[in-house]
């Protein structure tokens, strides 16, 4: 069902209307939002392939969680009040869970969540580890930062990985023992099919479809995207039934309205153009700081993250505005000075004490995680 409305749906689904055993994974929520409420019947109650296109912040991660709960529901053993200890002795070691949640035969299924970047993989792992802990699910990361042994992969129910890593696993013959247990593949940011890494995603989907055709064992494909103009074509590629599993939500479903403003720069000289861009960014950053807001600045390359952060820092020093980014004597200033001592990246070490930071895939994992935590705790004012 394609949803293209100018106003959100009103029939929101309360969490208490969902099966009791699913509530632990949706803790802290009282009701599904408009996007989740519309998709829930298909995501949770059927095995249909799914393509969801919704604005950033629309709740796509929770839709992914609903599809995982669907898999858990298939292998759930409901709690029984009067059961003998001797029953099902052979499988009792594989069954886990609480009294309301029930128990799950976790040896029978695997779920693969494919995220485009290492930083997103780590964020997804933390999120799902917390939310699936009550179900006894083992959630692990497989990326350039983290490699797993065959035994660890075998013990994992939810594997969060990058397209390149999963491509390697599925190409190797020794990975078949694991891939044959996969019942759900979630492709986050599926619009990357249009990117340089598109062929990798295409090969992953093609292998899943080939595996389904040769083994007759169903594997559910779920695609998630914020921006996908040709969603009908991608739905066909993912073998999605347009009348059941295809959902497109326009920007009226964005929980926080997005304002776009384009600033034209006509300067042809590369150095002067870079300088002008930095001046514009600085003015915008200063405006955000007056309202005590943080700011994210996206640039074109890893090298430019450091150059931009240093340029903004230098302008703050020249204009005597450093206190607007990091107040003298504040707790944030002390924390940033202490943390900068252990930083490996020289550009980050240079700008961090002033309330600026950088983040890109070329940094060591410890530095990236430090920046993420400092930004989340509002110690960092501007992140490039």
């Amino acid at each position: 069902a394609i949803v293209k409305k100018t106003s959100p749906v009103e029939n929101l689904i309360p969490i208490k209307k969902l099966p009791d055993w699913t509530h632990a994974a949706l803790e802290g929520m009282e009701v599904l939002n408009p996007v989740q409420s519309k998709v829930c019947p298909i995501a949770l109650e059927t095995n249909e392939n799914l393509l969801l296109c919704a604005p950033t912040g629309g709740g796509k991660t929770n839709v992914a969680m609903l599809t995982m709960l669907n898999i858990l529901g298939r292998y759930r053993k409901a709690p029984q009040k009067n059961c003998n200890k001797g029953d099902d002795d052979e499988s009792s070691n594989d069954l886990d869970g609480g009294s309301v949640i029930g128990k799950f035969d976790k040896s029978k299924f695997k779920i693969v969540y494919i995220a485009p970047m290492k930083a997103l993989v780590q964020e997804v792992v933390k999120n799902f580890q917390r939310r699936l802990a009550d179900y006894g699910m083992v959630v692990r990361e497989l990326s350039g930062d983290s490699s797993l042994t065959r035994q660890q992969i075998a013990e994992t129910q939810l594997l969060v990985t990058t397209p390149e890593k999963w491509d390697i696993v599925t190409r190797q013959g020794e990975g078949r023992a694991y891939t044959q247990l996969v019942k759900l593949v979630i492709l986050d940011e599926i619009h990357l099919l249009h990117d340089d890494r598109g062929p990798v995603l295409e090969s992953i989907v093609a292998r899943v479809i080939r595996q389904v055709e040769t083994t007759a064992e169903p594997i559910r494909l779920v695609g998630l995207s914020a921006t996908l103009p040709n969603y009908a074509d991608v739905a066909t590629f993912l073998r999605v039934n347009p009348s059941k599993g295809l959902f497109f939500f326009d920007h009226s479903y964005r929980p926080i309205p997005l304002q776009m403003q384009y600033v034209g720069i006509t300067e042809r000289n590369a150095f002067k153009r870079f300088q002008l861009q930095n001046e514009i960014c600085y003015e915008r950053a200063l405006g955000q700081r007056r309202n005590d807001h943080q700011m994210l600045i996206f640039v074109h390359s890893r090298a430019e993250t450091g150059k931009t952060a240093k340029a903004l820092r230098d302008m703050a020093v020249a204009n005597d505005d450093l206190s607007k980014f990091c107040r003298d004597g504040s707790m944030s200033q002390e924390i940033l000075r202490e943390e900068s001592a252990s930083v490996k990246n020289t550009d980050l070490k240079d700008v961090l004490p002033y309330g600026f930071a950088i983040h890109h895939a070329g940094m060591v994992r410890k530095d990236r995680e430090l920046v993420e935590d400092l930004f989340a705790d509002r110690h960092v004012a501007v992140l490039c």
Side-chain angles (χ1 to χ4, degrees):
I2 302 175
V3 183
K4 293 184 78 172
K5 297 182 179 178
T6 55
S7 60
V9 291
E10 296 178 359
N11 300 323
L12 303 182
I13 299 176
I15 298 299
K16 63 184 180 183
K17 289 282 185 72
L18 302 179
D20 289 345
W21 64 270
T22 65
H23 295 179
L26 303 168
E27 189 178 0
M29 296 173 59
E30 294 183 2
V31 66
L32 296 178
N33 73 12
V35 171
Q36 297 155 4
S37 296
K38 193 72 180 176
V39 181
C40 180
I42 300 296
L44 183 61
E45 299 166 15
T46 75
N47 298 322
E48 288 282 341
N49 285 357
L50 186 68
L51 175 60
L52 171 61
C53 305
T56 301
K60 295 187 288 294
T61 303
N62 283 334
V63 172
M65 175 59 77
L66 291 173
T67 62
M68 293 182 202
L69 290 172
N70 169 269
I71 299 294
L72 282 168
R74 282 197 243 167
Y75 298 94
R76 176 175 178 262
K77 184 179 179 182
Q80 298 176 4
K81 290 183 179 179
N82 300 316
C83 64
N84 298 321
K85 275 190 176 180
D87 294 344
D88 299 326
D89 281 343
E90 290 183 7
S91 59
S92 60
N93 291 333
D94 292 329
L95 301 172
D96 248 333
S99 57
V100 178
I101 291 173
K103 299 181 179 181
F104 304 90
D105 194 345
K106 296 180 294 185
S107 64
K108 296 288 181 66
F109 70 90
K110 307 285 184 188
I111 299 170
V112 177
Y113 189 109
I114 299 174
M117 294 181 290
K118 290 185 286 186
L120 282 178
V121 166
Q122 292 154 20
E123 187 179 330
V124 169
V125 168
K126 288 177 185 176
N127 183 9
F128 288 137
Q129 276 178 340
R130 175 179 54 82
R131 297 173 66 179
L132 294 171
D134 290 339
Y135 300 87
M137 291 268 285
V138 178
V139 183
R140 285 198 174 107
E141 168 191 348
L142 180 63
S143 69
D145 287 339
S146 174
S147 59
L148 301 176
T149 64
R150 291 183 199 173
Q151 179 67 23
Q152 286 175 317
I153 292 178
E155 294 168 351
T156 303
Q157 283 80 51
L158 172 56
L159 190 67
V160 186
T161 183
T162 57
E164 290 77 13
K165 274 290 182 179
W166 189 243
D167 183 45
I168 293 169
V169 171
T170 52
R171 278 180 188 274
Q172 294 172 343
E174 60 191 33
R176 286 177 188 165
Y178 181 91
T179 55
Q180 285 176 355
L181 290 171
V182 173
K183 304 298 179 187
L184 171 64
V185 177
I186 300 170
L187 299 153
D188 200 358
E189 310 292 352
I190 188 69
H191 58 265
L192 289 177
L193 280 167
H194 179 63
D195 197 58
D196 293 339
R197 303 158 79 191
V200 180
L201 282 174
E202 287 180 18
S203 63
I204 289 171
V205 173
R207 283 192 207 106
V208 170
I209 293 169
R210 177 63 177 164
Q211 185 176 328
V212 171
E213 291 173 348
T214 55
T215 64
E217 289 288 333
I219 301 174
R220 189 180 194 183
L221 281 167
V222 174
L224 307 174
S225 177
T227 53
L228 196 61
N230 61 328
Y231 51 84
D233 296 332
V234 177
T236 302
F237 177 61
L238 295 177
R239 304 298 193 268
V240 172
N241 183 338
S243 64
K244 293 181 179 179
L246 175 56
F247 294 88
F248 179 91
F249 296 87
D250 62 23
H251 287 284
S252 66
Y253 287 85
R254 180 181 286 276
I256 300 173
L258 179 68
Q259 182 184 18
M260 294 188 193
Q261 190 174 17
Y262 294 92
V263 180
I265 296 177
T266 56
E267 178 59 58
R268 293 183 178 276
N269 181 279
F271 177 75
K272 289 182 179 178
R273 185 169 63 244
F274 179 71
Q275 198 171 17
L276 184 56
Q277 286 173 340
N278 288 337
E279 288 172 4
I280 293 170
C281 281
Y282 180 73
E283 289 302 321
R284 298 302 166 96
L286 210 54
Q288 292 294 320
R289 292 308 296 163
R290 289 192 186 104
N291 297 316
D292 201 31
H293 296 320
Q294 293 169 283
M295 189 171 183
L296 282 170
I297 299 174
F298 293 91
V299 295
H300 296 289
S301 67
R302 296 176 183 181
E304 274 196 43
T305 58
K307 290 178 182 177
T308 302
K310 286 179 180 178
L312 296 177
R313 188 271 318 272
D314 292 344
M315 279 188 266
V317 171
N319 295 320
D320 199 24
D321 287 330
L322 272 180
S323 60
K324 292 184 174 64
F325 297 94
C326 187
R327 292 175 187 168
D328 287 333
S330 65
M331 185 185 296
S332 290
Q333 187 181 54
E334 290 300 317
I335 291 172
L336 292 174
R337 283 177 179 172
E338 286 179 15
E339 296 293 355
S340 63
S342 61
V343 166
K344 296 278 195 299
N345 186 284
T346 54
D347 289 337
L348 179 60
K349 186 186 284 285
D350 192 13
V351 299
L352 192 58
Y354 303 95
F356 297 88
I358 65 171
H359 189 288
H360 58 74
M363 295 164 60
V364 297
R365 179 171 182 166
K366 190 177 177 182
D367 283 359
R368 293 202 311 269
E369 290 180 343
L370 173 64
V371 169
E372 290 162 15
D373 291 340
L374 290 173
F375 190 79
D377 293 337
R378 302 186 65 83
H379 298 306
V380 169
V382 179
L383 177 58
C384 300

